C-alpha cells in the first residue's frame, strides 16, 4: 500500500516563498493550487482530515514542474511528496474503479506508451488517441477529460513525423568520425521517437560530428515518466529495471537523450529504488550516466557551417531546469550558434503548461498557462522559440497559434537549430 | 454561524463565484500562515474592490461574523489566522493598482501588490521603496502594512510605518474612510494612518495605500568582520554608528549560526568565531569608498580578527550568501523553526546574547541567533521538532524567558513580526495593565462588535503561549 510522504511535509515551514514560482498558483489564483497548499493538503490527508478524493483535484492540477523546489529556502522535497500523493490517490481509486477503466489505463500506460510497435503503427502522440480508437475508449471510460477540442488543438500543430520506414532504417551503431571523445548510448524515448524522430536522428548525427561514438540499443524501453506522473509506480519500476538492465550490459561513458522530460525521469531512477538492496545501487549508477545532449555537446566543438541571422528566444523546460538542473548548458550552446540574436524570454522559468499529458487531461488550465506565457513573449519579438523537450515544443506551438503568430514565429528544438547551423540533414 | 443564507448574501456582493471558496480543501488552504496553529475558516472570499469589502463588512458586522484579512500568509505571528472561524478575506489577488508618481515621490497601491514589485517599479524611475522584509518577494503590501513589517534596512531606513502617508480603509461597520494624504507633512488631527498601520487587521481593512519613495542610493558596498568575542562585536556596532556612519544593513550571526551554515555548505566561514557582522553601506560612491575604510578601521580597533571588503558585486553577494543560507542550514537537523524577533536597545546586545546562552543551556534547546544587530532586532531561532511534545513544552518556556529578558533589558516583544496570536499572552508584561487597557479601549470604540480579526493582539483570560499545532 502506498504511503503519503508525511514526514517530508514537516520540512515545509510554510513561509510561502514558493508561491510566486508556482504557475498554477498564478493562473488559478488560490492557495489550494500552490506548493505550500498542496504540501499542507498531503499532510491533512495523511492525518485523515481530508479524503484521498478531496486531495485528488489539487494534486492532479499540479504540473510537477518543480519550480518550487528551486526557490525553497528549506529544501523541501516537493517531487517526492507529489509522487507519493499521486501513487496514494491512484491506489485508492483502483479499489473502486470499474474494470473497464482499469483496462484502459492498463492498455495506455502498460501496453501502448512503452510499446514502440504500437506507437510506430499509429504515427504517434495525439494521433494515437484518435487513430487507435483510444479516444473512444477514453470517452466511454470517462478516464480522462479528453475533449475533442484538446485533440483538434494539438492535431493542428503536429509536426510531420518521419515515416516509419525511415525510422526503422535507423542504424544501431554510428561510428565516431575520429577517435571518440565519448562512447554514448543514445536514449530515444517513445513519443519523441515517433513524433519527433527526426530530432533524434539529428541528435545522433551531431554527436557523431562532435566526435562521439553513438550506439542505439534495441532493448531500451519507455522511461516511465508519464506512468510515474500518473501514480503508476509499479509499471514505472518495471520499465526502469528494463532500461537499467539493457544499458548496464554496455560500457558507455554517457547515456544521452534530447528529451528534457525523459531525462528528468532517468536522472532520478535512484529515487525510485531508494532502499531497495538489489536495485538502489544499479539505479544510481544508471542515473549518474544520464545526461541531456546539451551537456555533452557544450563540452565539445561543433563544426558550424552557416550563420542563422534570426532573433531567437529560449524556453527552458522545467524538467531540464528544476530536475536535471541544467540551466547554463543549453543556453551556452544556443548562444554559440553563429549569427543569432538572443532575446531573453521574460519569466522564462514559468512552466508552459505542457507537463507530460497535463495539457490533454487538464486542457483548459493548460491553455490559461500558455496564454500567460504568451503575454510575456509578446513583449519581445523573437522569430524563433527554442525548446529542449517535445512537450514544451508542442505547447509553444499551440501558444503561438493561439496568438495568431504562426506566420511570424517558428518553434524548434535546440537540436534542429544546431543541425541547421552545422548543415546536418535529418 | 455561517449558513447558506450568509453564503448567498456574499454571492450577491461578489458576483464572480470563483472568488468565494467553500470547499473543504480550500478552507484548509487558508487555515494556516507561517507561524503555528491550524484554524478553519467558514468561507474564504477574494475581494478586488473597495465596494465589495465595504458591503461584506456591513454584512459581517450585522451578523457578527469574524473577518480575518489575509495577504499571502507569510506572517510569523499568526496575524491572518481565523482563530474564531468566520470569513477570511484573501486580499492577495487584489493587485491591479501600482502607480508610481515620480513628481510627488509616492506610490499608490492596492493591498495585494507584492512588496518587491513596488520597489522594482520605483527603481525604474530612480527611486526606492526602502522597507525590505525578507519575505518581500512574496508578501503583499497590505500584509506588511497590517503587521508593520521591518527588514534588514530598518537601521537606516526604518520600517513600513515610516513610509505610509495615506490610506483608504474600510471600517468594521463597512464605511470607507481616508486617512493622511499625499503630502510628507500632514499634522491634521489624530494620526489615524499610523494607528491603522501595525494594527494587525483589528481596526480596519486597508484597501489602498499611499507610500513614500526615496531617491535610489547610487552605490553600495559590503564588508564582513569576524570577532572572537561577541562583546567586541557589540562595541564595534556602537563605534561605527558613533563615528558618524549609518550603514544600510548591519547583520549579526552567532557561533551556532556560523557553524550551521558552514556545515551545510562550506564557504570558508570562521567556525571558531563567536560572531560575525555583515555590513552594507549605501550612498554616493565617493562617500562610501571613504566610509568603508573607516568601518574597517573601527572593526579592527575593536578586536576584529578578520575584515573582508567586497570589491565587486559578485564578492558582495558571496559575503551575503552566508546570511542567505541561514534558513536551510538551521532546519537541517530538525524541521521546526521558531523564529522570534525580540528587540532590545542596541547597547544591550552583548547582555542579550549572554541571556540567550543561559536560556539555551537551561532548557537544552537548539538556539541560534542572527538578525539585524544594527537596530537591536535580533532573531533568536529555536530549532525543534513539533511532533515532539515534550521538547515543544521546553521551547515554550524558553520563548517566554526570551521575551522576559528582552523586556527586562528595556526592549520589546516584537521588532517586525507583530503580536498576532503568539505574543498576545505577553502584552501586559510590556505595556502594563493600563497601557494594554488603553489599546483595548481604542479597539472597542472602533469595532464594538469585535468582528475584525478577533483573538489577535489582546490575550484571552489565561491565554498562554502554545506552539503545538491543534
Amino acid at each position: 500500500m502506498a504511503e503519503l510522504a508525511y514526514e517530508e511535509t514537516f520540512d515545509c515551514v510554510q513561509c510561502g516563498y514558493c508561491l510566486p514560482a508556482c504557475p498554477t498558483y498564478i493562473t488559478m489564483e488560490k492557495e489550494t493550487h500552490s506548493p505550500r497548499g498542496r504540501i499542507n493538503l498531503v499532510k491533512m490527508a495523511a492525518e485523515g482530515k481530508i479524503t484521498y478524493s478531496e486531495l485528488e483535484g489539487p494534486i492532479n492540477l499540479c504540473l510537477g514542474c518543480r519550480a518550487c523546489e528551486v526557490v525553497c529556502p528549506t529544501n523541501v522535497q516537493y517531487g517526492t511528496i507529489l509522487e507519493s500523493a499521486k501513487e496514494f490517490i491512484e491506489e485508492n481509486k483502483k479499489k473502486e474503479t470499474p474494470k473497464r477503466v482499469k483496462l484502459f489505463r492498463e492498455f495506455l500506460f502498460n501496453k501502448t506508451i512503452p510499446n514502440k510497435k504500437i506507437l510506430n503503427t499509429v504515427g504517434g502522440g495525439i494521433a494515437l488517441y484518435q487513430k487507435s480508437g483510444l479516444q473512444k475508449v477514453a470517452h466511454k471510460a470517462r478516464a480522462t477529460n479528453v475533449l475533442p477540442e484538446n485533440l483538434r488543438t494539438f492535431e493542428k500543430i503536429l509536426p510531420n513525423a518521419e515515416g516509419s520506414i525511415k525510422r526503422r532504417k535507423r542504424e544501431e551503431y554510428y561510428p565516431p568520425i575520429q577517435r571518440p571523445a565519448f562512447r554514448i548510448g543514445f536514449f530515444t524515448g517513445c513519443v519523441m521517437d515517433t513524433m519527433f524522430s527526426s530530432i533524434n536522428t539529428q541528435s545522433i548525427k551531431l554527436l557523431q560530428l562532435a566526435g562521439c561514438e553513438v550506439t542505439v540499443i534495441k532493448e531500451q524501453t519507455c522511461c516511465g515518466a508519464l506512468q510515474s506522473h500518473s501514480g503508476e509506480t509499479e509499471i514505472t519500476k518495471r520499465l526502469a529495471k528494463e532500461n537499467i538492465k539493457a544499458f548496464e550490459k554496455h560500457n558507455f561513458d554517457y547515456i544521452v537523450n534530447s528529451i528534457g522530460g525523459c531525462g528528468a525521469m532517468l536522472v532520478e531512477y535512484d529515487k525510485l529504488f531508494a532502499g531497495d538492496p538489489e536495485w538502489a545501487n544499479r539505479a544510481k549508477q544508471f542515473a549518474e550516466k544520464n545526461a541531456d545532449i546539451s551537456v555533452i555537446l557544450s563540452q565539445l566543438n561543433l563544426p558550424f557551417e552557416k550563420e542563422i541571422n534570426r532573433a531567437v528566444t529560449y524556453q527552458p523546460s522545467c524538467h531540464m531546469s528544476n530536475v536535471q538542473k541544467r540551466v547554463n548548458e543549453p543556453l551556452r550552446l544556443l548562444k554559440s550558434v553563429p549569427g543569432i540574436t538572443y532575446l531573453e524570454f521574460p519569466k522564462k522559468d514559468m512552466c508552459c503548461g505542457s507537463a507530460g499529458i497535463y495539457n490533454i487531461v487538464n486542457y483548459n488550465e493548460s491553455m490559461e498557462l500558455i496564454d500567460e506565457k504568451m503575454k510575456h513573449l509578446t513583449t519581445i519579438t523573437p522569430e524563433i522559440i527554442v525548446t529542449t523537450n517535445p512537450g514544451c515544443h508542442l505547447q509553444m506551438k499551440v501558444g503561438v497559434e493561439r496568438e495568431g503568430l504562426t506566420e511570424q514565429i517558428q518553434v524548434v528544438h535546440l537540436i534542429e537549430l544546431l543541425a541547421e547551423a552545422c548543415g546536418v540533414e535529418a | 454561524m455561517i449558513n447558506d443564507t450568509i453564503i448567498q448574501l456574499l454571492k450577491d456582493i461578489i458576483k464572480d463565484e470563483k472568488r468565494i471558496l467553500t470547499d473543504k480543501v480550500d478552507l484548509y488552504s487558508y487555515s494556516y500562515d507561517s507561524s503555528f496553529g491550524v484554524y478553519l475558516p467558514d468561507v474564504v472570499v477574494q475581494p478586488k474592490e473597495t465596494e465589495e469589502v465595504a458591503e461584506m463588512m456591513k454584512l459581517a458586522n450585522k451578523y457578527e461574523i469574524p473577518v480575518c484579512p489575509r495577504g499571502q500568509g507569510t506572517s510569523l505571528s499568526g496575524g491572518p489566522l481565523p482563530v474564531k472561524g468566520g470569513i477570511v478575506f484573501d486580499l492577495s489577488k487584489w493587485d491591479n493598482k501600482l502607480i508610481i508618481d515620480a513628481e510627488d515621490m509616492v506610490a499608490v497601491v492596492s493591498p495585494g501588490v507584492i512588496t518587491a514589485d513596488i520597489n522594482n517599479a520605483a527603481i525604474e524611475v530612480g527611486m526606492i521603496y526602502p522597507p525590505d522584509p525578507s519575505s518581500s518577494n512574496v508578501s503583499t503590501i497590505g500584509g506588511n502594512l497590517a503587521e508593520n513589517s521591518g527588514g534588514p534596512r530598518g537601521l537606516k531606513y526604518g520600517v513600513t510605518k515610516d513610509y505610509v502617508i495615506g490610506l483608504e480603509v474600510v471600517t468594521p461597520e463597512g464605511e470607507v474612510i481616508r486617512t493622511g494624504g499625499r503630502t510628507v507633512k500632514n499634522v491634521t488631527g489624530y494620526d489615524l494612518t499610523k494607528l491603522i498601520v501595525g494594527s494587525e487587521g483589528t481596526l480596519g481593512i486597508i484597501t489602498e495605500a499611499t507610500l513614500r519613495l526615496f531617491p535610489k542610493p547610487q552605490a553600495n558596498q559590503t564588508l564582513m568582520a569576524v570577532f572572537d568575542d561577541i562583546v567586541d562585536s557589540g562595541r564595534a556596532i556602537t563605534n561605527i554608528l558613533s563615528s558618524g556612519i549609518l550603514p544600510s544593513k548591519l547583520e549579526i550571526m552567532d557561533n551556532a549560526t556560523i557553524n550551521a551554515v558552514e556545515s551545510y555548505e562550506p564557504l570558508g566561514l570562521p567556525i571558531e568565531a563567536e560572531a560575525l557582522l555583515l555590513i552594507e553601506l549605501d550612498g554616493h560612491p565617493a562617500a562610501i569608498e571613504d566610509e568603508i575604510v573607516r568601518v574597517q578601521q573601527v572593526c579592527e580597533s575593536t578586536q576584529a580578527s578578520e575584515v573582508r571588503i567586497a570589491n565587486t558585486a559578485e564578492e558582495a553577494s558571496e559575503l551575503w550568501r552566508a546570511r542567505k543560507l541561514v534558513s536551510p542550514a538551521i532546519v537541517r537537523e530538525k524541521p521546526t523553526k521558531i523564529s522570534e524577533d525580540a528587540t532590545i536597545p542596541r547597547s544591550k546586545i552583548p547582555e542579550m546574547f549572554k541571556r540567550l546562552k543561559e536560556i539555551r543551556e537551561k532548557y537544552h534547546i537548539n538556539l541560534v541567533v542572527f538578525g539585524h544587530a544594527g537596530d537591536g532586532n535580533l532573531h533568536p531561532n529555536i530549532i525543534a521538532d513539533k511532533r515532539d511534545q515534550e521538547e515543544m513544552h521546553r521551547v515554550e518556556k524558553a520563548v517566554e524567558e526570551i521575551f522576559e529578558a528582552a523586556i527586562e533589558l528595556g526592549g520589546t516583544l516584537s521588532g517586525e513580526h507583530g503580536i498576532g496570536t503568539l505574543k498576545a499572552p505577553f502584552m501586559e508584561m510590556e505595556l502594563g495593565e493600563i497601557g494594554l487597557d488603553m489599546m483595548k479601549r481604542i479597539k472597542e470604540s472602533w469595532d464594538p462588535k469585535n468582528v475584525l480579526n478577533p483573538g489577535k493582539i489582546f490575550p484571552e483570560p489565561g491565554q498562554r503561549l502554545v506552539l503545538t499545532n491543534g
Side-chain angles (χ1 to χ4, degrees), chain B residues 137-151:
Chain B
N137 285 318
V138 190
S139 56
T140 63
I141 186 66
N144 286 179
L145 291 161
E147 300 294 331
N148 198 359
S149 309

Side-chain angles (χ1 to χ4, degrees), chain A residues 7 10-11 13-17 19-20 25 29-32 36-37 40-41 44 49-50 54 73-75, chain B residues 21 24-26 28-30 32-34 46 48 72-74 92-93 134-135 137-138 264 328 331 335 387:
Chain A
E7 295 298 316
F10 282 87
D11 295 340
V13 295
Q14 300 187 325
C15 64
Y17 284 22
L19 298 178
Y25 178 69
E29 302 205 310
K30 56 182 180 178
E31 178 83 11
T32 318
R36 180 175 66 172
N40 178 59
L41 290 174
M44 295 296 112
K49 290 177 180 152
I50 62 168
E54 287 169 318
T74 57
N75 292 335
Chain B
L21 316 178
K24 200 165 155 196
V25 285
D26 291 330
Y28 267 110
S29 296
Y30 292 86
Y32 57 81
D33 64 357
S34 192
Q46 299 177 310
K48 290 186 175 179
Q72 297 252 62
T74 60
S92 65
K93 302 299 157 234
S134 301
S135 58
N137 285 318
V138 190
Y264 177 73
V331 294
R387 286 161 289 191

Side-chain angles (χ1 to χ4, degrees), chain B residues 53-126:
Chain B
V53 172
E55 289 305 310
M56 287 195 294
M57 276 320 302
K58 283 191 182 119
L59 182 71
N61 198 53
K62 183 174 167 191
Y63 293 95
E64 300 191 25
I65 303 164
V67 168
C68 302
R70 186 183 199 273
Q72 297 252 62
T74 60
S75 172
L76 287 160
S77 60
L81 296 176
V83 292
K84 309 270 182 197
I87 313 173
V88 163
F89 281 13
D90 170 20
L91 295 152
S92 65
K93 302 299 157 234
W94 186 357
D95 59 357
N96 58 340
K97 187 186 279 180
L98 170 48
I99 301 164
I100 303 284
D101 184 329
E103 202 173 341
D104 289 349
M105 289 183 71
V106 296
V108 181
V109 296
S110 55
V113 170
I114 301 295
T115 304
D117 289 346
I118 302 172
N119 192 44
N120 292 339
I123 284 171
E124 283 182 24
V125 292

Side-chain angles (χ1 to χ4, degrees), chain A residues 225-263:
Chain A
L226 295 181
Q227 293 82 353
S228 170
H229 298 332
S230 303
E232 298 281 1
T233 311
E234 285 314 308
I235 302 175
T236 313
K237 283 186 180 168
R238 181 174 66 69
L239 296 170
K241 284 178 187 171
E242 276 182 47
N243 280 323
I244 295 167
K245 271 193 277 185
F247 279 94
E248 20 170 63
K249 285 188 197 141
H250 303 264
N251 189 22
F252 297 126
D253 295 320
Y254 292 102
I255 302 164
V256 173
N257 69 81
S258 39
I259 327 145
C262 298

Side-chain angles (χ1 to χ4, degrees), chain B residues 219-223 279-282 285 288-289 292 309-311 316:
Chain B
N220 57 53
Q221 199 153 22
T222 294
L223 169 152
I279 302 168
E280 184 187 89
L281 302 177
D282 71 3
I288 61 173
E289 200 180 321
I292 199 89
I309 296 178
N311 291 313

